[in-house]
Amino acid sequence: MKLNEIRDNPGARSRKMRISRGIGSGKGKTGGRGGKGQTARTGVSINGFEGGQMPLYRRLPKRGFTNIFALKFAEVNLGRLQQAIEAGKLDPKITINAAHLVEAGLVRRPWDGIRLLGKGDLKTKVTVEVAGASKSAIAAVEKAGGSVTVVSK
């Protein structure tokens, strides 16, 4: 086989449909838009319009609200913390904070702070500085001989 013999598989590339280019093209005359009317015209955008019937998004009841004061925390489990320490990404001798966790790749961005959760086992003594921690996480860190400091942002 030579470079000049390389071809696509048959039917791999189909030509672009040229709309409104005569009746022989298969999409001539009205160009696939049917006949006359609002939708045959250009610039029509009627998403959600149901011909005058009350649209579905207006028929459904409104529920709940968005709390604009809600905080978004990046969550880290104890098991992932232990994995990072074993892999040498985190130094257990220093106080581990959000910047260290980002650098180690445990979280992508700290949002409003880091929340420590108790899933997994922690065997290493560590000092952690986070924005929030579950009771089980605090208990597990203290059981391993470490400490958790909860700081507000």
Side-chain angles (χ1 to χ4, degrees), residues 1-151:
M1 179 182 277
K2 298 182 180 77
L3 281 175
N4 66 325
E5 295 171 351
I6 296 172
R7 297 277 179 273
D8 262 331
N9 295 327
R13 288 163 165 263
S14 57
R15 292 193 61 176
K16 178 182 148 224
M17 173 65 79
R18 297 184 69 231
I19 295 167
S20 302
R21 294 295 182 274
I23 57 171
S25 73
K27 274 275 192 284
K29 195 182 174 224
T30 52
R33 285 176 172 263
K36 299 185 182 171
Q38 186 179 18
T39 51
R41 312 284 184 247
T42 185
V44 174
S45 178
I46 46 175
N47 283 345
F49 183 67
E50 298 180 16
Q53 171 178 292
M54 187 62 69
L56 181 67
Y57 70 91
R58 288 186 61 195
R59 276 179 276 160
L60 297 173
K62 292 195 272 186
R63 291 266 304 144
F65 76 106
T66 303
N67 182 1
I68 60 168
F69 301 107
L71 297 176
K72 185 175 182 181
F73 292 109
E75 295 164 352
V76 176
N77 279 305
L78 292 177
R80 296 258 295 137
L81 204 64
Q82 183 64 40
Q83 280 178 344
I85 290 167
E86 287 169 3
K89 293 178 181 178
L90 283 175
D91 183 12
K93 294 179 186 77
I94 60 169
T95 302
I96 297 168
N97 59 19
H100 295 115
L101 293 172
V102 171
E103 194 180 309
L106 267 71
V107 291
R108 191 175 292 167
R109 54 186 70 84
W111 301 116
D112 293 315
I114 306 291
R115 184 156 163 76
L116 193 64
L117 302 178
K119 189 175 179 183
D121 297 321
L122 186 71
K123 304 173 194 102
T124 317
K125 178 184 173 182
V126 288
T127 308
V128 188
E129 194 175 275
V130 287
S134 65
K135 288 177 184 174
S136 61
I138 293 169
V141 171
E142 288 172 352
K143 184 183 172 192
S147 65
V148 177
T149 311
V150 177
V151 291

